[in-house]
Amino acid sequence: MAARSMLRSVWTSFAGLKLGATGSNVIFQQRTNVPQLSTLTIQSRGIRQVVEQQEGKTTTIEGQILNIPATPEPPNPAAKCPIYRWNLQHKYNYTDVLLLSQFIRPDGGLLPRRVTGLCLEEHRKIAICVQMAHRAGLLPDHKPKPPENRNPTKPRQQLNRYLTPWSIDTVKPIYKVGLKWSKRRMAVGSPLLKNNVRYGVKHMNTKH
Amino acid sequence: MSSFSRSAQQWATFGRSWFLIDARMQPPGKIATMCAIRLQGKHKPIYHALSDCGDHIVVMNTKQIAFSGNKWEQKVYSSHSGYPGGFKQLTAAQLHHKDPKAIVKLAVYGMLPKNLHRRTMMQRLHIFPDDELPEDIRANLTEELPQPREVPRTLSEYTQEEIDAFPRLWTPPENYKMK
């Protein structure tokens, strides 16, 4: 009776698990409850472990969180968005892969905003930076699995590129450029990042 | 320097040197400005337009050139053969596939002064799509120029310690499972 109530109090924190009408002398196997990890993006919540101890007639089943790495205190803990908390606004670019890789899935997609906690503008900036990083080839291990290759005979031309704001298949060639005073310019980088800190005198040119 | 002999000083000032540029992951426009300056001789204090003081430039790895933005799809190279119906327009990607040397060549050609010296300066420009250089050119090279663009590191090039040293910006909510 006491064991069952103790069991119930321990298990209420685990929402997904169902506990049937089990007796007190049930032996649970040690289980590690690990969130899905990829080789590169490591969540620092800690690995939860279910530990079972038997003391005579009472069985104690505990869920312990092991290995909590100490995340350093952010410089601005009062802010809502993680980038504002670490004072990284206006300071990152498509090359800062260590930062961008924290917000992507293993197959390269972005995590939803309600999960990461980013504010809308920073989420959009991170999105465009991640797209540019993918197109520049800076995230080689985060490619999605291709469906059964339909045309292996015509391989895509491997061209090096960087600061590509638009998707490769959707962009059309500029056949009529126009005169010098009214040229159709080609976009380089994104206007969302125009407020980034520049340590030189020159301004960022998004229209080439 | 005043400590050199007269003949050595003469060779050093008026000799035609050979520069090497690696165009891997570099924008062709920046490569072309570096080439054009040195082909004219404008990097020398003894420059004069008539004194034919330009140097030789060897550009290698032009196959691995990197355009910024969507220029591979948007930039169009046009030419007319002179005959009716001879107007050809190729995107940069198509032109690069046809001839990997053409983009750098056209870029440098457009940056040189539009006079009769241009053709001689272009003869002093040597472009190679790979890093295989012929023996006689390799024997002539004197200096390698630094690359204009800093090539960013991919995620796989970072060591595990550097990845761990970077702090986690956000912690996922309790019930969230990464897919």
Side-chain angles (χ1 to χ4, degrees):
Chain A
M1 192 54 192
R4 205 184 283 172
S5 62
M6 202 160 62
L7 278 175
R8 206 154 277 176
S9 62
V10 166
W11 281 112
T12 39
S13 58
F14 293 89
L17 294 158
K18 287 180 196 168
L19 198 61
T22 49
S24 56
N25 288 336
V26 176
I27 301 164
F28 286 107
Q29 281 173 355
Q30 264 191 6
R31 241 186 298 141
T32 49
N33 204 0
V34 174
Q36 297 273 319
L37 294 174
S38 69
T39 46
L40 291 164
T41 54
I42 305 163
Q43 302 294 329
S44 65
R45 269 155 74 222
I47 301 168
R48 282 168 284 158
Q49 200 173 43
V50 177
V51 169
E52 169 255 331
Q53 292 160 11
Q54 232 183 5
E55 300 147 6
K57 278 190 182 174
T58 50
T59 321
T60 322
I61 302 160
E62 249 185 328
Q64 288 172 348
I65 300 175
L66 309 170
N67 289 338
I68 307 170
T71 43
E73 179 77 7
N76 187 13
K80 292 176 199 173
C81 172
I83 290 185
Y84 277 85
R85 256 179 266 146
W86 288 87
N87 282 336
L88 288 171
Q89 66 271 32
H90 308 136
K91 286 195 183 150
Y92 59 92
N93 202 0
Y94 77 106
T95 48
D96 303 316
V97 184
L98 291 171
L99 170 76
L100 298 175
S101 60
Q102 294 186 19
F103 295 99
I104 53 175
R105 293 208 170 108
D107 67 340
L110 263 190
L111 291 165
R113 206 179 113 219
R114 56 188 163 78
V115 166
T116 54
L118 287 164
C119 46
L120 185 62
E121 17 173 277
E122 293 299 322
H123 177 77
R124 287 192 180 141
K125 284 183 200 172
I126 294 257
I128 190 84
C129 284
V130 164
Q131 282 169 25
M132 292 202 288
H134 275 300
R135 286 164 196 151
L138 298 178
L139 297 164
D141 305 321
H142 291 260
K143 300 268 175 187
K145 274 187 198 167
E148 293 156 13
N149 222 355
R150 303 144 205 172
N151 258 342
T153 50
K154 215 175 29 168
R156 215 181 220 190
Q157 215 181 353
Q158 286 297 320
L159 293 166
N160 296 327
R161 51 185 82 229
Y162 62 103
L163 286 170
T164 34
W166 309 124
S167 156
I168 300 175
D169 299 323
T170 52
V171 173
K172 290 199 181 146
I174 300 175
Y175 289 117
K176 290 182 192 170
V177 165
L179 296 158
K180 226 174 189 180
W181 40 271
S182 62
K183 268 187 179 170
R184 269 193 68 187
R185 302 280 175 182
M186 297 176 279
V188 169
S190 173
L192 295 172
L193 302 167
K194 74 170 165 8
N195 288 328
N196 268 12
V197 170
R198 300 263 302 176
Y199 294 112
V201 184
K202 282 194 247 179
H203 61 276
M204 187 166 76
N205 189 15
T206 27
K207 296 178 186 174
H208 278 206
Chain B
M1 301 295 281
S2 54
S3 56
F4 298 162
S5 62
R6 282 188 191 279
S7 57
Q9 183 70 40
Q10 191 77 357
W11 273 105
T13 38
F14 296 101
R16 199 171 287 149
S17 30
W18 286 66
F19 292 102
L20 177 65
I21 298 180
D22 188 358
R24 165 179 279 188
M25 303 296 280
Q26 303 299 312
K30 295 213 167 137
I31 298 281
T33 47
M34 290 165 65
C35 294
I37 289 170
R38 283 163 182 84
L39 286 167
Q40 292 173 68
K42 286 204 154 178
H43 62 296
K44 297 180 177 174
I46 47 147
Y47 166 78
H48 187 82
L50 299 173
S51 51
D52 191 22
C53 45
D55 289 331
H56 288 260
I57 306 261
V58 177
V59 186
M60 66 178 192
N61 281 328
T62 51
K63 210 174 187 182
Q64 285 141 17
I65 239 165
F67 261 123
S68 58
N70 287 90
K71 287 179 197 164
W72 282 118
E73 292 79 38
Q74 283 184 314
K75 196 168 174 66
V76 162
Y77 288 87
S78 323
S79 59
H80 200 295
S81 62
Y83 292 94
F87 187 49
K88 280 193 193 134
Q89 281 186 301
L90 291 171
T91 57
Q94 291 164 349
L95 182 64
H96 193 71
H97 180 71
K98 201 171 125 192
D99 178 18
K101 302 203 245 176
I103 289 183
V104 174
K105 194 167 170 198
L106 286 167
V108 178
Y109 193 73
M111 293 192 188
L112 290 172
K114 318 288 182 277
N115 53 31
L116 294 172
H117 292 298
R118 185 161 57 159
R119 297 270 165 154
T120 39
M121 289 188 229
M122 286 302 286
Q123 283 183 338
R124 292 188 185 142
L125 174 70
H126 313 271
I127 307 178
F128 297 97
D130 305 320
D131 52 2
E132 286 160 16
L133 305 174
E135 285 300 325
D136 38 1
I137 289 187
R138 210 182 291 183
N140 286 341
L141 293 171
T142 57
E143 195 187 328
E144 177 161 7
L145 299 172
Q147 293 194 312
R149 174 199 171 215
E150 203 187 298
V151 181
R153 292 163 76 185
T154 62
L155 189 56
S156 44
E157 281 168 25
Y158 282 98
T159 56
Q160 189 57 38
E161 293 122 18
E162 284 173 319
I163 298 174
D164 295 332
F166 201 86
R168 305 284 126 211
L169 295 189
W170 63 289
T171 46
E174 276 188 9
N175 297 329
Y176 185 69
K177 225 184 185 183
M178 275 266 283
K179 282 166 207 172

